[in-house]
Coordinates of all heavy atoms in Angstrom, one line a residue:
D78 N 7.6 -63.3 91.4 CA 7.4 -64.3 92.4 C 6.2 -64.0 93.3 O 6.3 -63.1 94.2 CB 8.7 -64.4 93.3 CG 8.6 -65.6 94.3 OD1 7.6 -66.1 94.5 OD2 9.7 -65.8 94.9
L79 N 5.1 -64.7 93.1 CA 3.8 -64.4 93.8 C 4.0 -64.7 95.3 O 3.5 -63.9 96.1 CB 2.7 -65.3 93.2 CG 2.1 -64.8 91.9 CD1 1.1 -65.9 91.4 CD2 1.5 -63.5 92.0
N80 N 4.8 -65.7 95.6 CA 4.9 -66.0 97.0 C 5.6 -64.9 97.8 O 5.3 -64.6 98.9 CB 5.7 -67.3 97.2 CG 4.9 -68.5 96.7 OD1 3.7 -68.6 96.8 ND2 5.7 -69.5 96.1
A81 N 6.6 -64.2 97.2 CA 7.3 -63.1 97.8 C 6.3 -62.0 98.1 O 6.4 -61.4 99.2 CB 8.4 -62.6 96.9
T82 N 5.4 -61.7 97.3 CA 4.4 -60.7 97.5 C 3.4 -61.1 98.6 O 3.0 -60.3 99.5 CB 3.7 -60.3 96.2 OG1 4.6 -59.9 95.3 CG2 2.7 -59.2 96.4
L83 N 2.9 -62.3 98.5 CA 1.8 -62.8 99.4 C 2.3 -62.8 100.9 O 1.5 -62.7 101.8 CB 1.4 -64.2 99.0 CG 0.5 -64.3 97.7 CD1 0.3 -65.7 97.3 CD2 -0.8 -63.5 97.9
L84 N 3.6 -62.9 101.1 CA 4.1 -62.9 102.4 C 3.9 -61.6 103.2 O 4.0 -61.6 104.4 CB 5.6 -63.2 102.4 CG 6.0 -64.7 102.2 CD1 7.5 -64.8 101.9 CD2 5.6 -65.6 103.3
Y85 N 3.6 -60.6 102.4 CA 3.4 -59.3 103.0 C 2.0 -59.1 103.6 O 1.7 -58.1 104.2 CB 3.8 -58.2 102.1 CG 5.3 -58.0 101.9 CD1 6.0 -58.8 101.0 CD2 6.0 -57.1 102.7 CE1 7.4 -58.7 100.9 CE2 7.4 -57.0 102.6 CZ 8.0 -57.8 101.7 OH 9.4 -57.7 101.6
Y86 N 1.1 -60.0 103.2 CA -0.4 -59.8 103.6 C -0.8 -60.8 104.7 O -0.2 -61.8 104.9 CB -1.2 -60.1 102.3 CG -1.2 -59.1 101.3 CD1 -0.4 -59.4 100.1 CD2 -2.0 -58.0 101.3 CE1 -0.4 -58.4 99.1 CE2 -1.9 -57.0 100.3 CZ -1.1 -57.3 99.2 OH -1.1 -56.3 98.2
T87 N -1.7 -60.3 105.5 CA -2.4 -61.2 106.5 C -3.2 -62.2 105.8 O -3.4 -62.1 104.6 CB -3.2 -60.4 107.5 OG1 -4.2 -59.6 106.7 CG2 -2.4 -59.4 108.3
S88 N -3.7 -63.2 106.5 CA -4.5 -64.2 105.9 C -5.8 -63.7 105.3 O -6.4 -64.2 104.3 CB -4.8 -65.4 106.9 OG -5.5 -64.8 108.0
I89 N -6.4 -62.7 105.9 CA -7.7 -62.0 105.5 C -7.4 -60.5 105.3 O -6.9 -59.9 106.3 CB -8.9 -62.3 106.4 CG1 -9.2 -63.8 106.6 CG2 -10.1 -61.5 105.9 CD1 -9.6 -64.4 105.2
V90 N -7.7 -60.0 104.2 CA -7.3 -58.6 103.9 C -8.5 -57.8 103.4 O -9.3 -58.3 102.6 CB -6.2 -58.6 102.8 CG1 -5.8 -57.2 102.5 CG2 -5.0 -59.5 103.3
S91 N -8.6 -56.5 103.8 CA -9.4 -55.5 103.1 C -8.7 -55.1 101.8 O -7.8 -54.3 101.9 CB -9.7 -54.4 104.1 OG -10.5 -53.4 103.4
Y92 N -9.1 -55.6 100.7 CA -8.3 -55.6 99.5 C -8.9 -54.6 98.5 O -9.9 -55.0 97.8 CB -8.2 -57.0 98.9 CG -7.1 -57.2 97.8 CD1 -5.8 -57.1 98.1 CD2 -7.5 -57.5 96.5 CE1 -4.8 -57.2 97.1 CE2 -6.6 -57.6 95.5 CZ -5.2 -57.5 95.8 OH -4.3 -57.7 94.8
F93 N -8.4 -53.4 98.5 CA -9.0 -52.4 97.6 C -10.5 -52.2 97.9 O -10.8 -51.8 99.0 CB -8.6 -52.6 96.1 CG -7.2 -52.7 95.9 CD1 -6.6 -54.0 95.7 CD2 -6.4 -51.6 95.9 CE1 -5.2 -54.0 95.4 CE2 -5.0 -51.7 95.7 CZ -4.4 -52.9 95.4
E94 N -11.3 -52.5 97.0 CA -12.7 -52.2 97.2 C -13.4 -53.4 97.8 O -14.6 -53.4 98.1 CB -13.4 -51.9 95.8 CG -12.9 -50.6 95.2 CD -13.0 -49.4 96.0 OE1 -14.0 -49.3 96.7 OE2 -12.1 -48.5 96.0
E95 N -12.7 -54.5 98.0 CA -13.3 -55.7 98.5 C -12.9 -56.0 100.0 O -11.8 -55.7 100.4 CB -12.9 -56.9 97.6 CG -13.1 -56.8 96.2 CD -14.6 -56.8 95.8 OE1 -15.3 -57.4 96.6 OE2 -15.0 -56.4 94.8
Q96 N -13.9 -56.5 100.7 CA -13.6 -56.8 102.2 C -13.4 -58.3 102.4 O -13.9 -59.1 101.6 CB -14.8 -56.3 103.0 CG -15.1 -54.9 102.9 CD -14.0 -54.0 103.5 OE1 -13.4 -54.3 104.5 NE2 -13.6 -52.9 102.8
N97 N -12.6 -58.6 103.4 CA -12.4 -60.0 103.8 C -12.0 -61.0 102.7 O -12.6 -62.0 102.5 CB -13.7 -60.5 104.5 CG -14.0 -59.6 105.7 OD1 -13.2 -59.2 106.4 ND2 -15.3 -59.4 105.9
K98 N -10.9 -60.6 102.0 CA -10.4 -61.5 100.9 C -9.2 -62.3 101.4 O -8.4 -61.7 102.1 CB -10.0 -60.6 99.7 CG -11.2 -59.9 99.0 CD -12.3 -61.0 98.6 CE -13.5 -60.3 98.0 NZ -14.6 -61.3 97.6
D99 N -9.2 -63.6 101.1 CA -8.2 -64.4 101.5 C -7.0 -64.4 100.5 O -7.1 -63.7 99.5 CB -8.7 -65.9 101.8 CG -9.2 -66.5 100.5 OD1 -9.0 -66.0 99.4 OD2 -9.9 -67.5 100.6
Q100 N -5.9 -65.2 100.9 CA -4.7 -65.1 100.0 C -5.0 -65.8 98.6 O -4.3 -65.4 97.7 CB -3.6 -65.7 100.8 CG -3.1 -64.9 101.9 CD -1.6 -64.9 102.1 OE1 -0.9 -65.7 101.6 NE2 -1.1 -63.9 102.9
A101 N -5.9 -66.7 98.6 CA -6.2 -67.3 97.3 C -6.7 -66.3 96.3 O -6.4 -66.2 95.1 CB -7.1 -68.5 97.4
Y102 N -7.6 -65.4 96.8 CA -8.2 -64.3 96.0 C -7.1 -63.4 95.6 O -7.0 -63.0 94.4 CB -9.3 -63.6 96.8 CG -9.9 -62.5 96.1 CD1 -11.1 -62.6 95.4 CD2 -9.3 -61.2 96.2 CE1 -11.7 -61.6 94.7 CE2 -10.0 -60.1 95.5 CZ -11.1 -60.3 94.7 OH -11.7 -59.3 94.1
I103 N -6.2 -63.0 96.5 CA -5.2 -62.0 96.2 C -4.2 -62.6 95.2 O -3.8 -62.0 94.3 CB -4.4 -61.6 97.5 CG1 -5.4 -60.9 98.5 CG2 -3.2 -60.7 97.2 CD1 -4.8 -60.6 99.8
R104 N -3.9 -63.9 95.4 CA -3.0 -64.6 94.4 C -3.6 -64.5 93.0 O -2.9 -64.2 92.1 CB -2.7 -66.0 94.8 CG -1.9 -66.9 93.8 CD -1.8 -68.3 94.2 NE -1.0 -68.4 95.4 CZ 0.4 -68.6 95.3 NH1 0.9 -68.6 94.1 NH2 1.1 -68.7 96.3
H105 N -4.8 -64.8 92.9 CA -5.5 -64.8 91.6 C -5.5 -63.4 91.0 O -5.2 -63.3 89.7 CB -6.9 -65.4 91.7 CG -7.7 -65.4 90.4 ND1 -7.3 -66.2 89.3 CD2 -8.8 -64.7 90.0 CE1 -8.2 -66.0 88.3 NE2 -9.1 -65.1 88.7
D106 N -5.7 -62.4 91.8 CA -5.7 -61.0 91.3 C -4.4 -60.6 90.8 O -4.2 -60.0 89.8 CB -6.2 -60.1 92.4 CG -6.3 -58.7 92.0 OD1 -7.2 -58.4 91.1 OD2 -5.5 -57.9 92.3
I107 N -3.3 -61.0 91.6 CA -2.0 -60.6 91.2 C -1.6 -61.4 89.9 O -0.9 -60.8 89.0 CB -0.9 -60.9 92.3 CG1 -1.2 -60.0 93.5 CG2 0.5 -60.7 91.9 CD1 -0.4 -60.3 94.7
E108 N -1.9 -62.6 89.8 CA -1.7 -63.4 88.6 C -2.3 -62.7 87.3 O -1.6 -62.6 86.3 CB -2.2 -64.8 88.7 CG -1.4 -65.7 89.6 CD -2.0 -67.1 89.8 OE1 -3.2 -67.2 89.6 OE2 -1.3 -68.0 90.2
K109 N -3.5 -62.3 87.5 CA -4.1 -61.6 86.3 C -3.4 -60.3 86.0 O -3.2 -60.0 84.8 CB -5.6 -61.3 86.7 CG -6.5 -62.5 86.7 CD -8.0 -62.2 86.7 CE -8.3 -61.3 87.9 NZ -9.8 -60.9 87.9
Y110 N -3.0 -59.6 87.0 CA -2.3 -58.3 86.8 C -1.0 -58.5 86.2 O -0.6 -57.8 85.2 CB -2.1 -57.5 88.1 CG -1.6 -56.1 87.9 CD1 -2.4 -55.1 87.6 CD2 -0.2 -55.9 88.1 CE1 -1.8 -53.8 87.4 CE2 0.3 -54.6 87.9 CZ -0.5 -53.6 87.6 OH 0.0 -52.3 87.4
N111 N -0.2 -59.5 86.6 CA 1.1 -59.8 86.0 C 1.0 -60.3 84.6 O 1.8 -60.0 83.8 CB 1.8 -60.9 86.9 CG 2.2 -60.5 88.2 OD1 2.2 -59.3 88.5 ND2 2.7 -61.4 89.0
E112 N -0.1 -61.0 84.3 CA -0.3 -61.4 82.9 C -0.7 -60.3 82.0 O -0.3 -60.2 80.9 CB -1.5 -62.5 82.9 CG -1.7 -63.0 81.5 CD -2.8 -64.1 81.5 OE1 -3.2 -64.5 82.6 OE2 -3.3 -64.4 80.4
R113 N -1.5 -59.4 82.6 CA -1.9 -58.2 81.8 C -0.7 -57.2 81.6 O -0.6 -56.6 80.5 CB -3.0 -57.5 82.5 CG -3.6 -56.3 81.8 CD -4.9 -55.7 82.5 NE -5.4 -54.6 81.9 CZ -6.1 -54.5 80.8 NH1 -6.5 -55.6 80.2 NH2 -6.6 -53.4 80.3
W114 N 0.1 -57.0 82.6 CA 1.2 -56.1 82.6 C 2.5 -56.8 83.0 O 3.0 -56.7 84.1 CB 1.0 -54.9 83.5 CG -0.3 -54.1 83.2 CD1 -1.4 -54.1 83.9 CD2 -0.5 -53.2 82.1 NE1 -2.3 -53.3 83.3 CE2 -1.8 -52.7 82.2 CE3 0.3 -52.8 81.1 CZ2 -2.3 -51.8 81.3 CZ3 -0.2 -51.9 80.1 CH2 -1.5 -51.4 80.3
P115 N 3.1 -57.5 82.0 CA 4.4 -58.3 82.4 C 5.6 -57.4 82.6 O 6.5 -57.9 83.3 CB 4.6 -59.2 81.1 CG 3.9 -58.4 80.0 CD 2.7 -57.8 80.6
I116 N 5.6 -56.2 82.2 CA 6.7 -55.3 82.5 C 6.2 -54.2 83.4 O 5.2 -53.4 83.1 CB 7.2 -54.6 81.2 CG1 7.8 -55.7 80.2 CG2 8.4 -53.6 81.5 CD1 8.2 -55.2 78.9
R117 N 6.8 -54.1 84.6 CA 6.3 -53.1 85.6 C 7.5 -52.4 86.3 O 8.5 -53.0 86.5 CB 5.4 -53.8 86.6 CG 4.3 -54.5 86.0 CD 3.4 -55.2 87.1 NE 4.2 -56.0 88.0 CZ 4.6 -57.2 87.7 NH1 4.3 -57.8 86.6 NH2 5.3 -57.9 88.6
H118 N 7.3 -51.2 86.7 CA 8.2 -50.5 87.6 C 7.4 -49.6 88.5 O 6.7 -48.8 87.9 CB 9.3 -49.8 86.8 CG 10.2 -49.0 87.7 ND1 11.1 -49.6 88.5 CD2 10.3 -47.7 87.9 CE1 11.8 -48.8 89.2 NE2 11.3 -47.5 88.9
D119 N 7.6 -49.7 89.8 CA 7.0 -48.8 90.7 C 8.0 -48.1 91.6 O 9.1 -48.6 91.8 CB 6.1 -49.5 91.7 CG 4.9 -50.2 90.9 OD1 4.5 -49.7 89.9 OD2 4.5 -51.3 91.4
E120 N 7.7 -46.9 92.0 CA 8.7 -46.0 92.8 C 7.9 -45.1 93.7 O 7.0 -44.4 93.3 CB 9.6 -45.3 91.8 CG 10.7 -44.5 92.5 CD 11.6 -43.8 91.5 OE1 11.1 -42.8 91.0 OE2 12.7 -44.3 91.3
I121 N 8.3 -45.1 95.0 CA 7.6 -44.2 95.9 C 8.2 -42.8 95.7 O 9.4 -42.6 95.6 CB 8.0 -44.7 97.4 CG1 7.3 -46.1 97.7 CG2 7.5 -43.6 98.4 CD1 7.7 -46.7 99.0
E122 N 7.3 -41.9 95.6 CA 7.7 -40.5 95.5 C 7.5 -39.7 96.8 O 6.5 -39.8 97.5 CB 6.8 -39.8 94.4 CG 7.2 -38.3 94.3 CD 6.4 -37.6 93.2 OE1 6.5 -38.0 92.0 OE2 5.6 -36.6 93.4
G123 N 8.6 -39.1 97.3 CA 8.5 -38.4 98.5 C 8.6 -39.2 99.7 O 9.0 -40.4 99.7
D124 N 7.9 -38.7 100.8 CA 8.0 -39.4 102.1 C 6.8 -40.4 102.2 O 5.8 -40.3 101.6 CB 7.9 -38.4 103.2 CG 9.1 -37.4 103.3 OD1 10.2 -37.9 102.9 OD2 8.9 -36.2 103.6
I125 N 7.0 -41.4 103.1 CA 6.0 -42.3 103.5 C 5.4 -41.7 104.8 O 6.2 -41.5 105.8 CB 6.5 -43.7 103.8 CG1 7.2 -44.2 102.5 CG2 5.4 -44.6 104.2 CD1 7.9 -45.5 102.7
H126 N 4.1 -41.4 104.9 CA 3.5 -40.9 106.1 C 3.0 -42.0 106.9 O 2.2 -42.8 106.5 CB 2.4 -39.9 105.7 CG 2.9 -38.8 104.9 ND1 3.5 -37.7 105.4 CD2 2.8 -38.6 103.5 CE1 3.8 -36.9 104.4 NE2 3.4 -37.4 103.3
L127 N 3.5 -42.1 108.2 CA 3.3 -43.2 109.1 C 2.5 -42.8 110.3 O 2.6 -41.7 110.7 CB 4.6 -43.9 109.5 CG 5.5 -44.4 108.4 CD1 6.8 -44.8 109.0 CD2 4.9 -45.5 107.7
Q128 N 1.6 -43.8 110.8 CA 0.9 -43.5 112.0 C 0.9 -44.7 112.9 O 0.7 -45.8 112.4 CB -0.6 -43.1 111.6 CG -1.5 -42.9 112.8 CD -3.0 -42.6 112.4 OE1 -3.2 -42.6 111.2 NE2 -3.8 -42.4 113.4
E129 N 1.1 -44.5 114.2 CA 1.1 -45.6 115.1 C -0.3 -45.6 115.8 O -0.6 -44.7 116.6 CB 2.2 -45.4 116.1 CG 2.3 -46.6 117.1 CD 3.4 -46.4 118.2 OE1 3.4 -45.3 118.8 OE2 4.2 -47.3 118.4
K130 N -1.1 -46.5 115.4 CA -2.5 -46.5 116.0 C -2.5 -47.3 117.4 O -3.1 -46.7 118.3 CB -3.4 -47.3 115.0 CG -3.7 -46.5 113.7 CD -4.7 -47.2 112.9 CE -5.1 -46.4 111.7 NZ -6.2 -47.0 110.8

Side-chain angles (χ1 to χ4, degrees):
D78 186 348
L79 286 173
N80 292 325
T82 303
L83 289 171
L84 285 172
Y85 285 85
Y86 289 98
T87 54
S88 57
I89 300 297
V90 181
S91 175
Y92 192 68
F93 299 107
E94 302 299 324
E95 305 290 339
Q96 300 295 318
N97 302 321
K98 294 302 178 182
D99 61 15
Q100 291 218 345
Y102 179 93
I103 297 173
R104 174 184 290 274
H105 180 63
D106 183 70
I107 295 174
E108 285 177 340
K109 289 195 302 181
Y110 186 82
N111 289 353
E112 182 179 350
R113 182 173 176 81
W114 300 107
I116 299 174
R117 304 181 307 281
H118 176 70
D119 298 331
E120 184 177 73
I121 295 173
E122 179 176 298
D124 297 328
I125 301 172
H126 301 283
L127 302 171
Q128 180 184 358
E129 185 179 49
K130 293 186 172 182

